[in-house]
Amino acid sequence: MDPACPSESIYNLIPSEWKEPPPPPRYISVFKRAVQEDMKKSKTAMKTMGPPKVDVPSPKDFLKKHSKEKAVPPKKKFDRLDTKKPPVPLRTDHPVMGVQSGKNFINTNAADVIMGVAKKPKPIYVDKRTGDKHDLENSGLVPKYINKKDYGITPEYICKRNEEVKNAQEEYDNYIQESLRKAAMKRLSDEEREGVLQGLKKNWEEVHKEFQSLSVFVDSLPKKIRKQKLEEEMKQLEHDIGVIEKHKVIYIANK
């Protein structure tokens, strides 16, 4: 009998009640314990939620009635006999009558106006035909900055900075001169540099003149080679001329 096949039995013909299979076991990562330990290491007491333990208030310190109301200042004693205002004049008191001033206020005011300095009108400017007036002093149209005593004078801090830059450049030049002297380098003078530049320009003119004398049709291999050679010479001369014109200081190695 094949062991894979069940034995024949009449009880196998009776349908049995279906039972739901048990669920598979829940997945648990093998790194769970390592992650928990790392989380415990990174946590710090009182880092985000405050101290872990807080003093519990005493039951005797409960909120009492009117404890948060503002305190009223103490009452002052009222005295009816204390008089703060001057007394009312008596019925028998009479004001001084008949006192007049001999000053002529009209003439005095007229003399003050005539002898006084006339008030200068406030400078204004009008920018529209409708008559909109604006203050001229703060408009930028008055040349008040160029009339200052220190206008056009270089500030002291800029002079100091220029002096520092000049000293630094001199120190750098001295360092370069010393380094070049140790490395056996020679600096071209202005006359030598100008002579080399003029010679290169003269050579370029000669090559350019020879290039212009070529035939229009380049139909043979020797002509093409000669044209390419002249073009390369002109490009090299132009490059050398540009380098010398760009750099004022040129150093060459001593042979």
Side-chain angles (χ1 to χ4, degrees):
M1 182 183 292
D2 189 0
C5 298
S7 58
E8 294 183 0
S9 175
I10 193 171
Y11 294 104
N12 294 335
L13 299 177
I14 301 174
S16 60
E17 185 180 357
W18 182 81
K19 295 182 180 180
E20 185 177 357
R26 186 167 60 92
Y27 171 76
I28 299 176
S29 176
V30 296
F31 302 103
K32 180 178 180 181
R33 183 59 59 84
V35 172
Q36 290 177 351
E37 292 178 357
D38 292 342
M39 291 292 292
K40 290 180 180 179
K41 290 180 181 179
S42 61
K43 287 185 178 181
T44 307
M46 298 185 297
K47 190 171 184 180
T48 57
M49 300 302 294
K53 293 182 180 180
V54 182
D55 296 337
V56 181
S58 175
K60 297 180 180 180
D61 299 335
F62 58 89
L63 184 62
K64 298 180 181 181
K65 186 177 181 181
H66 305 296
S67 61
K68 291 190 176 183
E69 294 181 358
K70 294 183 179 180
V72 181
K75 295 182 178 181
K76 295 182 180 181
K77 185 178 180 181
F78 178 73
D79 189 4
R80 290 183 176 274
L81 301 178
D82 187 12
T83 56
K84 296 182 179 180
K85 294 182 179 180
V88 180
L90 300 176
R91 184 180 299 179
T92 57
D93 295 341
H94 300 284
V96 180
M97 306 294 291
V99 178
Q100 296 182 358
S101 176
K103 183 177 179 181
N104 191 343
F105 291 95
I106 297 176
N107 295 338
T108 303
N109 294 339
D112 293 341
V113 173
I114 294 171
M115 299 300 295
V117 180
K119 185 179 179 181
K120 294 183 179 180
K122 186 177 182 180
I124 59 174
Y125 73 96
V126 180
D127 59 350
K128 295 182 180 179
R129 63 180 181 178
T130 54
D132 296 340
K133 299 179 182 180
H134 303 279
D135 188 10
L136 182 63
E137 185 69 21
N138 300 324
S139 64
L141 302 175
V142 181
K144 58 182 180 180
Y145 293 102
I146 62 176
N147 296 329
K148 289 186 175 181
K149 295 181 180 179
D150 57 348
Y151 178 78
I153 300 176
T154 306
E156 184 178 356
Y157 74 94
I158 294 182
C159 296
K160 185 177 179 180
R161 178 64 60 82
N162 293 339
E163 188 68 22
E164 293 176 356
V165 172
K166 184 178 178 181
N167 296 336
Q169 185 65 30
E170 291 178 357
E171 293 179 1
Y172 178 74
D173 293 340
N174 296 335
Y175 170 75
I176 292 295
Q177 291 291 342
E178 186 67 20
S179 301
L180 294 176
R181 186 181 63 80
K182 293 179 180 180
M185 299 290 288
K186 177 184 177 183
R187 176 179 175 179
L188 286 179
S189 61
D190 295 340
E191 293 78 8
E192 293 175 347
R193 174 179 170 278
E194 188 66 24
V196 173
L197 184 60
Q198 295 298 330
L200 290 174
K201 290 183 178 180
K202 185 177 180 181
N203 294 342
W204 183 86
E205 291 177 358
E206 293 177 357
V207 176
H208 184 261
K209 183 178 180 181
E210 188 175 354
F211 180 80
Q212 292 293 336
S213 62
L214 293 175
S215 60
V216 178
F217 297 100
V218 183
D219 51 358
S220 62
L221 183 60
K223 291 183 179 180
K224 292 181 179 179
I225 295 175
R226 181 168 179 76
K227 182 179 179 182
Q228 292 178 359
K229 182 179 179 181
L230 293 175
E231 289 178 350
E232 292 177 357
E233 290 182 1
M234 291 174 62
K235 288 182 179 179
Q236 184 63 35
L237 289 171
E238 289 174 358
H239 177 265
D240 296 341
I241 292 171
V243 170
I244 294 178
E245 288 181 346
K246 182 178 180 181
H247 301 88
K248 302 298 181 182
V249 180
I250 301 176
Y251 295 93
I252 58 176
N254 292 329
K255 297 182 179 180

